[in-house]
Amino acid sequence: MELGDKVLKGHIRSIGKAISCIENNRPEKEQLIDYLYPFCGKAEVIGVTGSPGAGKSTLVDKLIKRERKLGKKVGIIAVDPSSPFSGGAILGDRLRMQNHASDDDVYIRSMASRGHLGGIATATADAIKIFDAAGFDLIIIETIGVGQTEIEVMDLADLVLLVLVPGMGDEIQALKAGIMEIGDIYVINKKDHDGAQKLYAEVEYVLNINQSENDKEKNPIILTSANLDEGIDDLVKCYRDYFKYIRCNNILEEKRKKRIVNEINHIFTEKIISEVNQFLHIEKKINQWVKNILHEKVGPYTLINKKIEQFIKEFKEQ
Amino acid sequence: MELGDKVLKGHIRSIGKAISCIENNRPEKEQLIDYLYPFCGKAEVIGVTGSPGAGKSTLVDKLIKRERKLGKKVGIIAVDPSSPFSGGAILGDRLRMQNHASDDDVYIRSMASRGHLGGIATATADAIKIFDAAGFDLIIIETIGVGQTEIEVMDLADLVLLVLVPGMGDEIQALKAGIMEIGDIYVINKKDHDGAQKLYAEVEYVLNINQSENDKEKNPIILTSANLDEGIDDLVKCYRDYFKYIRCNNILEEKRKKRIVNEINHIFTEKIISEVNQFLHIEKKINQWVKNILHEKVGPYTLINKKIEQFIKEFKEQ
């Protein structure tokens, strides 16, 4: 497979082409992924998430610099689940990472949701495989905000940096939004701002509540200032140690197994539904169904149950 | 149907029971919803969304007071998609609304995701029907944050208030997160804080870019201070006018049709997948599939395609 072979050689434009192929759900997508699949599993995957404005992009930029100094090839996937609404609004932000535009061993790719169920998580999972097979050592997945979709996307990472900042109400909000549990390492960015120490204490307090005695030391909190380039070396050392720890304790393998389970479920659901749609041509019938529900006041469950029953009968007789 | 009849009479404890029934996906759920369905369609549904910390709960509290003065029955659904992670963390916040605890014509209900695909949107859609059938005049759906799930939930509302606040970086972040398009009315809360006027100007600017000449006046921006109880009357007048406008222009009917289409798709997908799972017992087989993928390096698409083919064959022969 020509495109697959080029990806395996790390050919940058082919990597871009391959990701577009999976994003647009092109027919050759499945063949491509399965062709690359045996070459996957070497890359380390870091997720970076947190509220908008927490300084994630700047932080990622600094991490890229450190990893490049160590000779690592770094791929970045910037995930923006809400961008079907805003089109290119995110592009300006990505410009901050243009420092690396001339470096062939850094590849940055924005991915937007195509609006279908589980779509962005599946597409991101496939993009990780492309980077991995292409020989990237480190893959960073960065999300724009924090929500259910972003939490799903973070499931694809081997370890997650949760970036918090003082003064954005994060102290209370982080708890309220229920996102604390998705972090492996907690990064308090903008550490020079008022309230950083207070936030540190609060995060520490919450982690102590949520963790059992045994793994108390396992979720580090690191203070950084991405803008001032401070604390970045500590953060790099911290996630390197964390990788070692999860490799030795079989945690990484378990995470990766769980990831494949999720992936199978996603792909399976998508395929079954598209199979059913193909047979049933739902989009042609749905207006009539809406009329039944809206004007004849047929309950939606009664209607759909009847349709599914009918569909199974027809399908079996086909 | 006893529970259904009690809901129709507006019996508060039965409403709570009915919502628990749909949240927990109990067997009688479908019968209940379809029983209530013919009595739905009278309530107005307002969505309230925006970043955590924007003051949405306080704002909703003030809106409830105004609507109660007009004699309206008000139901509030507080949607927290991330709460499987945080458990009861959100409860403290809801306490702010306890002002109405003794008022039988105000009913506040928190809903958390059950973790399944499209689950919270389907459950919220059903909860709206319960409130509607129970004779509530106004239903307010409030989300905790802004993300893909929240955007889906906002699709259930007849009109959406997008709450922004100055000084949280919302000026840039709102654009970046691509959430501007989901608002019908833009509320700039904490108008007494620095930067409120600047935020107003920026929101106005963005709306002017995104809107065509014809509907330029259709997306109002309202300045409020929920804490100081200022601007609330303007906001109420504004959404009343907006309701009139969307009723007269058929926009409301189109929105409701689109909502039923989404709902059919959600229910249909869930049902088909559960049907398939029942037949295939995926959860029993998935560990073997993971082994094939992880150790024998079978590509995931190849594997799943084979399994689906096999499944269809078996299903037809059954």
Side-chain angles (χ1 to χ4, degrees):
Chain A
M1 200 204 180
E2 207 194 323
L3 181 59
D5 285 327
K6 282 187 180 166
V7 168
L8 288 177
K9 280 177 193 147
H11 183 246
I12 287 292
R13 283 192 51 199
S14 300
I15 295 170
K17 222 171 137 186
I19 295 181
S20 296
C21 167
I22 54 145
E23 259 202 323
N24 298 316
N25 227 343
R26 292 248 291 280
E28 62 271 35
K29 176 184 94 169
E30 304 191 357
Q31 201 203 338
L32 174 70
I33 292 299
D34 284 4
Y35 187 83
L36 299 175
Y37 195 79
F39 304 94
C40 293
K42 279 163 252 155
E44 293 178 323
V45 184
I46 295 183
V48 179
T49 191
S51 319
K56 296 186 293 295
S57 296
T58 313
L59 189 75
V60 168
D61 178 54
K62 305 296 180 194
L63 294 180
I64 299 171
K65 273 189 194 147
R66 298 306 196 280
E67 297 288 341
R68 289 297 302 125
K69 267 190 197 159
L70 300 168
K72 301 268 182 85
K73 277 186 82 166
V74 189
I76 295 95
I77 305 172
V79 177
D80 185 8
S82 30
S83 77
F85 297 90
S86 64
I90 197 198
L91 280 173
D93 192 53
R94 294 276 83 75
L95 288 176
R96 244 184 289 168
M97 291 200 203
Q98 290 302 313
N99 301 331
H100 311 281
S102 62
D103 183 345
D104 257 6
D105 289 329
V106 175
Y107 189 71
I108 298 165
R109 174 71 184 221
S110 284
M111 294 190 79
S113 164
R114 296 290 150 184
H116 49 94
L117 276 180
I120 201 156
T122 312
T124 306
D126 284 342
I128 290 172
K129 292 190 200 92
I130 291 169
F131 277 113
D132 192 350
F136 283 84
D137 303 293
L138 181 69
I139 301 163
I140 300 176
I141 326 171
E142 184 202 339
T143 66
I144 302 312
V146 209
Q148 190 64 26
T149 314
E150 285 85 347
I151 289 173
E152 260 172 55
V153 168
M154 284 301 125
D155 264 346
L156 303 169
D158 296 327
L159 80 77
V160 174
L161 310 181
L162 180 62
V163 186
L164 303 167
V165 280
M168 273 182 68
D170 270 357
E171 305 92 82
I172 320 134
Q173 300 307 330
L175 316 181
K176 204 163 70 173
I179 57 164
M180 287 297 284
E181 287 82 349
I182 66 167
D184 295 303
I185 296 170
Y186 296 82
V187 181
I188 297 177
N189 195 28
K190 307 189 183 177
K191 73 183 176 82
D192 50 317
H193 286 209
D194 282 353
Q197 286 301 333
K198 187 167 164 259
L199 179 57
Y200 186 101
E202 282 173 332
V203 171
E204 202 173 29
Y205 175 75
V206 174
L207 290 180
N208 278 335
I209 294 174
N210 286 341
Q211 292 179 327
S212 67
E213 273 301 317
N214 295 334
D215 49 22
K216 205 169 252 179
E217 70 255 275
K218 297 302 177 289
N219 285 111
I221 312 170
I222 305 286
L223 289 155
T224 59
S225 165
N227 270 333
L228 305 174
D229 207 356
E230 286 175 14
I232 309 297
D233 292 323
D234 293 344
L235 178 58
V236 174
K237 186 185 175 312
C238 179
Y239 68 68
R240 284 280 143 239
D241 289 347
Y242 199 87
F243 264 121
K244 264 181 225 159
Y245 164 74
I246 59 174
R247 271 186 197 285
C248 295
N249 289 277
N250 229 26
I251 299 172
L252 187 61
E253 171 140 9
E254 283 307 312
K255 270 193 188 186
R256 289 186 173 182
K257 265 189 200 161
K258 208 186 129 208
R259 204 188 300 168
I260 294 175
V261 169
N262 287 339
E263 211 183 326
I264 291 175
N265 281 326
H266 270 308
I267 300 176
F268 199 87
T269 303
E270 269 185 34
K271 283 195 159 281
I272 288 287
I273 291 303
S274 103
E275 199 78 42
V276 171
N277 275 338
Q278 237 168 27
F279 181 80
L280 205 61
H281 295 291
I282 288 186
E283 67 285 358
K284 283 186 193 162
K285 293 173 182 159
I286 207 159
N287 281 332
Q288 184 55 47
W289 298 4
V290 170
K291 265 185 209 158
N292 294 342
I293 291 177
L294 207 58
H295 300 305
E296 294 152 32
K297 293 279 179 190
V298 180
Y301 289 105
T302 308
L303 181 99
I304 293 170
N305 284 334
K306 221 178 83 192
K307 295 296 173 193
I308 286 181
E309 207 176 290
Q310 199 178 317
F311 154 70
I312 290 177
K313 201 164 156 276
E314 277 172 34
F315 185 75
K316 281 188 170 177
E317 284 166 358
Q318 169 218 36
Chain B
M1 200 205 178
E2 208 193 324
L3 181 58
D5 284 329
K6 281 187 180 165
V7 168
L8 288 177
K9 279 177 194 147
H11 183 246
I12 286 291
R13 283 192 49 200
S14 300
I15 295 170
K17 221 171 138 187
I19 294 181
S20 297
C21 166
I22 55 143
E23 260 202 322
N24 298 316
N25 226 343
R26 292 250 289 282
E28 61 271 34
K29 177 185 94 168
E30 304 191 357
Q31 201 203 338
L32 174 70
I33 292 298
D34 284 4
Y35 188 83
L36 299 176
Y37 196 80
F39 304 93
C40 293
K42 277 165 251 154
E44 292 177 321
V45 185
I46 295 183
V48 179
T49 191
S51 318
K56 295 186 292 295
S57 295
T58 314
L59 189 74
V60 168
D61 177 55
K62 304 297 178 192
L63 294 180
I64 298 171
K65 272 188 193 146
R66 298 306 195 282
E67 296 289 341
R68 290 296 304 126
K69 267 191 197 158
L70 300 168
K72 301 266 182 88
K73 277 186 82 165
V74 188
I76 295 93
I77 305 172
V79 176
D80 184 8
S82 31
S83 77
F85 297 90
S86 64
I90 196 197
L91 279 174
D93 192 55
R94 295 275 83 74
L95 289 175
R96 245 183 288 167
M97 291 199 201
Q98 291 302 313
N99 301 330
H100 312 281
S102 62
D103 182 347
D104 257 6
D105 289 329
V106 175
Y107 189 71
I108 298 166
R109 174 72 183 221
S110 283
M111 294 190 79
S113 163
R114 296 290 149 185
H116 51 92
L117 277 179
I120 201 156
T122 312
T124 306
D126 284 341
I128 290 172
K129 291 190 200 92
I130 291 169
F131 277 114
D132 192 351
F136 283 83
D137 303 292
L138 181 68
I139 301 164
I140 299 177
I141 326 171
E142 184 201 339
T143 66
I144 303 311
V146 209
Q148 190 63 28
T149 314
E150 285 85 348
I151 289 173
E152 260 172 55
V153 168
M154 284 300 125
D155 265 347
L156 303 169
D158 297 327
L159 79 79
V160 174
L161 309 182
L162 180 62
V163 185
L164 302 169
V165 280
M168 274 184 67
D170 270 358
E171 305 92 80
I172 319 135
Q173 300 308 331
L175 316 180
K176 206 163 67 171
I179 57 164
M180 288 297 284
E181 288 83 349
I182 67 167
D184 294 303
I185 296 170
Y186 296 82
V187 181
I188 296 176
N189 195 27
K190 307 190 184 176
K191 72 183 176 83
D192 50 317
H193 286 209
D194 282 352
Q197 286 302 332
K198 187 167 164 262
L199 180 56
Y200 186 100
E202 282 173 331
V203 171
E204 202 174 30
Y205 175 75
V206 174
L207 291 180
N208 278 335
I209 293 174
N210 287 342
Q211 293 180 326
S212 64
E213 274 301 317
N214 295 335
D215 50 21
K216 205 171 254 180
E217 70 253 277
K218 299 299 178 290
N219 286 112
I221 312 169
I222 305 285
L223 288 155
T224 60
S225 164
N227 270 334
L228 306 174
D229 207 357
E230 286 174 15
I232 309 297
D233 292 324
D234 293 343
L235 179 58
V236 173
K237 185 185 175 311
C238 179
Y239 68 67
R240 284 279 144 241
D241 288 346
Y242 199 87
F243 264 121
K244 262 182 226 157
Y245 164 73
I246 60 174
R247 273 187 196 286
C248 296
N249 289 276
N250 229 26
I251 298 173
L252 186 61
E253 171 140 12
E254 283 308 313
K255 270 193 189 186
R256 289 184 171 182
K257 266 190 200 161
K258 208 185 129 209
R259 204 188 300 169
I260 294 175
V261 169
N262 287 339
E263 212 184 325
I264 291 175
N265 280 325
H266 270 307
I267 300 175
F268 199 87
T269 303
E270 269 185 35
K271 283 195 159 280
I272 287 286
I273 291 303
S274 104
E275 198 78 42
V276 171
N277 276 338
Q278 237 168 25
F279 181 80
L280 205 59
H281 295 292
I282 287 185
E283 68 284 0
K284 283 186 193 161
K285 293 172 183 159
I286 207 158
N287 281 333
Q288 185 55 48
W289 298 5
V290 170
K291 267 185 206 156
N292 295 341
I293 290 177
L294 207 56
H295 301 304
E296 295 152 35
K297 294 282 178 187
V298 182
Y301 289 105
T302 308
L303 182 100
I304 294 169
N305 284 335
K306 220 178 84 191
K307 296 294 174 194
I308 287 181
E309 209 176 288
Q310 200 179 316
F311 154 70
I312 290 176
K313 203 165 156 275
E314 278 172 33
F315 186 75
K316 281 188 171 177
E317 284 166 359
Q318 170 218 36

